[in-house]
Amino acid sequence: MQEPAITPDLIAAHGLKPDEYQRILDLLGREPSFTELGIFSAMWNEHCSYKSSKKWLRTLPTTGERVICGPGENAGVVDIGDGLAVVFKMESHNHPSYIEPHQGAATGVGGILRDVFTMGARPVAVMDSLSFGRPDHPRTAHLVKGVVEGIGAYGNAFGVPNVGGEVRFHRAYDGNCLVNAFAAGIAPIDRIFYSAASGVGMPVVYLGAKTGRDGVGGATMASAEFDDTIEEKRPTVQVGDPFTEKCLLEACLELMETDAIISIQDMGAAGLTCSAVEMGDKGGLGIRLDLDRVPTREAAMTAYEMMLSESQERMLMVLRPDKEQVAREIFEKWDLDFAVVGETIAEDRFLIMHGNTVKADLPLAALSGTAPEYDRPWVETPIAPPMDTLPPIRPMAALEALIGAPNHAHKAWVWEQYDTQVGADTVRRPGLGAGVVRIHGTNRALAFTSDVTPRYVRANPVEGGKQAVAEAWRNLVACGATPLAATDNLNFGNPEKPEIMGQLVGAIQGIGEACRALDFPIVSGNVSLYNETDGKPILPTPTIGGVGLIDDLGDLIAGRPADGDVALMVGRSRGHLGQSALACEAFGVEAGDAPQVDLEAERRHGDFILANREAFSACTDLSDGGLALAAFELAEAAGIGVALDSADIGFLFGEDQARYLVACPADRVATLTRAAQDASVPLMPVGQFGGDTVRLGDDTAPLQALSQLYRGAFSAAIGGDLPDHA
């Protein structure tokens, strides 16, 4: 089969700029073959090379007392004591999920699970952060239903609990939804596996499912804006099989019990190309592949297709030669393909053979080491002018505007489609703050959360980045967990636009500042750029996934107050309503500055919560919707009412940071107050839990009526009851 001629149009179709193609010509001293062009396209696209963000990502804090492995591997690794580590990461599957929501979201879950168990960890939890367009947009309901169904179908069949996440709606996501998938697993510290190859002449082994044409060019597509040709990109979306992935997990973990593995890498973005190049580059070796040995499920596949396929449930390993038969027997027992497809070589070459013909012969280190790195022009986001005074509104009408909006309504429609209890270690499932999973066989637990407020980031990228970290940190603290480390998923528009690049730079600066102040290092992550359709960008959405440790489940802070508990607010309220949920949902106003984040106060107030957690019946951080929404959510979850003393709209719905709401038995209030004074932490009574009504000042409504609105608004907005399979 004759390969197509390399033309300017073909180069552009591969996402390469003319100067980037010239760099390839200079590097090779010749014109690349079609397969080589595809390999460069895969390795040099934004999704794989981080060419627009590398400069700024280097400024993030990535080390800490407990950090075993930071960014650069498949996932981050953090010591949790007792000879164990938590392995976790978050990644995007945005473009595939917009094109084909079920498979796009499902394979996003599958990919992030492989990142975790590739390191030697058994997955114990997943989460997802989802952003969709307006609920009444003609495509939104289809996307929501498809994405949620895909996440549930894959995670449920694989057998991992979904313990948290978030769902938002905004017109900026009309043409480009976001699907950010998080996974965490637990591994023995002495059995963490890495991707760097070592040793010359070692067998390179292909494992898992067969290679097909699905997903060819997926990584390049993920680094491009959408336009009216979007439907033509459907073949670039991968197709997942969670049952095969489950077998792959068990086979890998069984093999890891032996001494067979030198290095291991999952085949994710750019498939065989990226996995082989990364293993060779990290080990300072070359790789020779014979594509005639690659297991395929479609006839007459070309070298280009095999190298760029993103078929799912596949791994690449470098094995010890004397353990090859042991490994083969394990994978054949699990009914998975096992094929020696190449070897490590001493030369700096990426040599691809197919049909006894050289299809690619490239300097391997240069594929990643000489990838373009840009210091793109950027402009600082201007300071937002103050927001005009909001029109008058009754406190109860304000609360109803929030709980009746899909952004703040109860999300049971989503998480009831997920298996939240599989594995029997889930301590706290979605809907009550951070998810909590017991470390199997112990009385210890891990807590997980994901957070960002994109309106804040658009108005003030630095403060918005800080706030995303601070909110994740607070959510962990609010359940009694000591925050350990974080992962980030930086979703932005086109970085070639200076104002968009300025959002990315500002957000990273804010994230870094907050992580340093809170001893909350970033140990893994993902950057997703070019999230635009017809030139319209998404809201800047730097999602922060946080992980915390509860050393004794007796220290877990419950999520439900008791009848008669006093409502106490930790922190100060200044009534900040700029960029607030109330302004957005009740009045359609998105104006003003983001709330300022006092990181010293965040740290002091969080430490106070952890030091006094035995005094609380329940605790939640205050974020979107402020005090009133948080108090209602706590009360509604417990099936009791709540009375807040103030009727002031700014006090009730302001979104000042470094604040918590705690429910405290009356006989413990005096002791807690003294502790707050000793710690120089603001603490004030704001009301009481109990009864069957909700009262804000003198404005009262029955809890039952508000609960019906709260629990029905999400499904009403997207037009559907819970699917039959949920």
Side-chain angles (χ1 to χ4, degrees):
M1 181 176 172
Q2 187 172 0
E3 293 188 343
I6 308 298
T7 65
D9 286 346
L10 188 66
I11 294 165
H14 281 74
L16 292 165
K17 301 284 197 298
D19 61 319
E20 292 173 339
Y21 183 68
Q22 184 60 50
R23 186 189 293 236
I24 293 171
L25 295 178
D26 294 343
L27 184 67
L28 298 181
R30 58 175 173 82
E31 184 178 82
S33 69
F34 180 54
T35 299
E36 289 173 334
L37 181 70
I39 289 171
F40 273 107
S41 168
M43 292 303 301
W44 284 13
N45 69 63
E46 196 74 57
H47 191 77
C48 292
S49 72
Y50 297 97
K51 57 190 176 186
S52 296
S53 56
K54 275 192 288 193
K55 171 183 176 176
W56 300 101
L57 295 176
R58 293 190 189 104
T59 68
L60 292 172
T62 59
T63 60
E65 184 179 342
R66 290 179 175 265
V67 176
I68 296 171
C69 176
E73 277 292 339
N74 289 290
V77 185
V78 177
D79 188 344
I80 57 174
D82 293 346
L84 298 174
V86 59
V87 180
F88 63 95
K89 190 180 184 183
M90 179 178 279
E91 281 205 340
S92 61
H93 232 223
N94 303 336
H95 283 35
S97 298
Y98 188 80
I99 297 168
E100 191 3 88
H102 182 110
Q103 289 297 343
T107 52
V109 174
I112 200 67
L113 286 168
R114 286 196 304 281
D115 279 336
V116 166
F117 71 76
T118 297
M119 303 285 294
R122 180 173 291 277
V124 298
V126 293
M127 297 188 298
D128 43 84
S129 178
L130 311 176
S131 303
F132 299 104
R134 292 164 294 174
D136 59 354
H137 186 274
R139 192 166 168 81
T140 296
H142 165 71
L143 290 171
V144 173
K145 293 171 185 176
V147 164
V148 171
E149 185 180 63
I151 291 169
Y154 204 101
N156 295 356
F158 178 85
V160 61
N162 193 311
V163 300
E166 53 189 342
V167 183
R168 69 180 54 86
F169 297 87
H170 192 280
R171 62 184 176 276
Y173 306 106
D174 280 351
N176 199 129
C177 66
L178 302 182
V179 175
N180 293 174
F182 168 99
I186 296 175
I189 282 179
D190 60 357
R191 284 209 304 277
I192 304 296
F193 291 83
Y194 298 98
S195 58
S198 65
V200 175
M202 299 295 148
V204 176
V205 182
Y206 173 114
L207 308 159
K210 289 179 168 58
T211 294
R213 291 188 172 93
D214 54 314
V216 172
T220 302
M221 177 270 292
S223 299
E225 294 182 36
F226 283 154
D227 53 28
D228 56 9
T229 66
I230 184 172
E231 287 301 319
E232 297 173 13
K233 298 179 173 69
R234 190 174 299 276
T236 63
V237 178
Q238 310 92 326
V239 177
D241 179 355
F243 299 102
T244 298
E245 179 117 329
K246 176 64 172 175
C247 292
L248 185 60
L249 162 72
E250 299 299 342
C252 286
L253 293 183
E254 184 174 338
L255 183 59
M256 287 168 176
E257 293 287 342
T258 72
D259 191 31
I261 300 172
I262 295 174
S263 66
I264 178 170
Q265 177 75 38
D266 86 295
M267 291 194 219
L272 190 54
T273 289
C274 194
S275 56
V277 169
E278 287 191 10
M279 288 204 310
D281 183 48
K282 289 175 183 176
L285 295 168
I287 299 284
R288 180 187 186 279
L289 295 179
D290 183 353
L291 299 187
D292 294 327
R293 301 179 182 179
V294 171
T296 60
R297 54 180 161 81
E298 298 185 50
M301 289 190 69
T302 65
Y304 178 96
E305 290 170 332
M306 281 189 270
M307 292 306 298
L308 297 186
S309 168
E310 294 184 10
S311 294
Q312 297 293 286
E313 294 86 42
R314 300 180 302 158
M315 292 282 192
L316 201 65
M317 290 184 184
V318 176
L319 294 180
R320 301 188 190 283
D322 59 323
K323 298 288 186 178
E324 182 182 322
Q325 188 57 34
V326 171
R328 183 184 299 276
E329 289 174 0
I330 289 173
F331 277 81
E332 288 179 352
K333 179 185 74 174
W334 286 99
D335 199 24
L336 296 166
D337 279 293
F338 179 101
V340 177
V341 296
E343 65 177 351
T344 58
I345 56 178
E347 301 94 335
D348 176 26
R349 297 174 73 188
F350 191 36
L351 182 61
I352 310 299
M353 305 295 296
H354 190 217
N356 294 319
T357 302
V358 175
K359 293 296 183 179
D361 191 353
L362 300 170
L364 187 144
L367 282 171
S368 57
T370 64
E373 180 176 339
Y374 296 121
D375 184 4
R376 295 198 184 277
W378 61 279
V379 295
E380 193 171 320
T381 301
I383 297 173
M387 184 180 69
D388 293 337
T389 302
L390 294 175
I393 187 171
R394 290 188 304 105
M396 197 58 65
L399 179 62
E400 289 169 348
L402 291 178
I403 64 175
N407 275 317
H408 308 288
H410 200 261
K411 300 300 192 299
W413 188 94
V414 176
W415 53 259
E416 284 182 0
Q417 297 184 57
Y418 305 151
D419 191 334
T420 62
Q421 300 291 331
V422 62
D425 281 321
T426 302
V427 177
R428 179 192 277 183
R429 64 182 195 170
L432 293 171
V436 179
V437 175
R438 178 186 288 104
I439 299 170
H440 191 72
T442 76
N443 198 42
R444 306 166 74 229
L446 292 166
F448 307 102
T449 186
S450 68
D451 298 283
V452 65
T453 306
R455 295 188 312 277
Y456 294 172
V457 186
R458 181 178 59 183
N460 189 327
V462 175
E463 291 300 318
K466 285 160 62 175
Q467 192 276 338
V469 173
E471 185 176 348
W473 195 83
R474 287 197 307 269
N475 271 325
L476 298 172
V477 167
C479 74
T482 300
L484 296 178
T487 181
D488 59 8
N489 204 146
L490 307 178
N491 307 272
F492 290 82
N494 184 345
E496 296 169 45
K497 298 177 180 178
E499 66 276 13
I500 299 296
M501 192 65 205
Q503 292 176 343
L504 175 63
V505 171
I508 292 175
Q509 289 173 336
I511 290 168
E513 185 179 343
C515 288
R516 281 185 287 272
L518 299 173
D519 292 331
F520 200 41
I522 299 287
V523 298
S524 59
N526 172 243
V527 178
S528 175
L529 304 179
Y530 296 95
N531 288 289
E532 300 198 1
T533 298
D534 295 327
K536 296 178 181 177
I538 61 162
L539 290 180
T541 311
T543 309
I544 301 295
V547 177
L549 177 66
I550 301 174
D551 268 320
D552 188 322
L553 275 169
D555 293 332
L556 176 70
I557 302 174
R560 292 186 173 93
D563 200 331
D565 280 353
V566 177
L568 299 167
M569 184 175 70
V570 174
R572 287 194 171 88
S573 176
R574 296 175 177 85
H576 185 95
L577 290 170
Q579 298 297 335
S580 66
L582 176 65
C584 180
E585 302 294 356
F587 302 105
V589 172
E590 297 177 40
D593 198 0
Q596 297 296 297
V597 181
D598 182 338
L599 293 167
E600 189 276 330
E602 292 282 4
R603 185 62 180 262
R604 189 173 68 255
H605 299 177
D607 288 347
F608 171 78
I609 294 292
L610 292 176
N612 294 278
R613 52 192 159 195
E614 74 282 351
F616 312 143
S617 301
C619 178
T620 184
D621 88 301
L622 301 189
S623 53
D624 256 10
L627 172 63
L629 183 58
F632 170 79
E633 290 174 341
L634 276 186
E636 200 274 345
I640 59 176
V642 63
L644 298 180
D645 300 328
S646 177
D648 181 78
I649 293 297
F651 185 83
L652 290 171
F653 296 96
E655 297 181 5
D656 305 282
Q657 300 298 293
R659 297 187 302 156
Y660 299 82
L661 175 65
V662 300
C664 181
D667 60 357
R668 296 182 181 179
V669 172
T671 301
L672 191 64
T673 301
R674 286 193 296 271
Q677 291 170 344
D678 292 343
S680 299
V681 170
L683 178 73
M684 67 178 296
V686 293
Q688 188 171 32
F689 291 96
D692 58 3
T693 62
V694 174
R695 179 170 63 80
L696 306 176
D698 294 327
D699 207 355
T700 303
L703 173 66
Q704 184 178 10
L706 294 175
S707 182
Q708 287 178 346
L709 173 63
Y710 178 56
R711 289 180 175 263
F714 189 94
S715 59
I718 63 164
D721 296 326
L722 207 61
D724 292 339
H725 70 265

